[in-house]
Amino acid sequence: MTFTAKLQKAYTSLNDRETIIFDTIVTNSGQGYDENTGIFFCPVSGFYQFAATLVSESGTDKNLDAELMHNGHQIVRLHATVYGFDGGSQVVNIHCRQGERVWIRHTMGVGDSAKMPAGFSTFSGALLSIDH
């Protein structure tokens, strides 16, 4: 089971703690990723690897910050600097039980951007091993 989704629409405004919806599916074996909500639902219990890359909007002179969430808990943060079209990436391996959720959400700090350009950012996940 694996998925990759990319951001094909530009975000011109994101709220603090708003889920970033990667709206275009590249692959979605197992149908765990929902492109309408931006949330991956773990179809089976096991260890998964998740990766995300976020790119900041050019000309904003503001940072772009986000976090990878697992069932309401922050796992890692992502950061792209004030220089437009800079990217921030993370790769994590975590255990998920069947039905648990993983997603990326925007975090708004002082001087942060709420904009993301289309066509550069991705969110992926893959099952590494199933619980026995």
Side-chain angles (χ1 to χ4, degrees), residues 62-122:
K62 295 182 178 181
N63 293 324
L64 176 67
D65 289 297
E67 52 196 0
L68 187 143
M69 302 296 295
H70 173 224
N71 264 13
H73 301 284
Q74 178 198 90
I75 302 300
V76 293
R77 296 195 66 197
L78 295 102
H79 175 82
T81 66
V82 298
Y83 307 106
F85 295 113
D86 182 43
S89 296
Q90 289 280 11
V91 178
V92 297
N93 297 319
I94 60 173
H95 185 268
C96 291
R97 290 189 176 91
Q98 184 176 12
E100 290 185 338
R101 303 167 298 132
V102 177
W103 71 97
I104 307 294
R105 74 178 182 186
H106 176 252
T107 56
M108 188 68 127
V110 175
D112 276 353
S113 175
K115 296 181 179 183
M116 293 176 66
F120 295 98
S121 300
T122 59

Side-chain angles (χ1 to χ4, degrees), residues 14-26:
L14 281 163
N15 295 314
D16 187 33
R17 297 190 172 117
E18 180 178 344
T19 299
I20 298 171
I21 299 173
F22 297 84
D23 58 320
T24 301
I25 290 177
V26 176

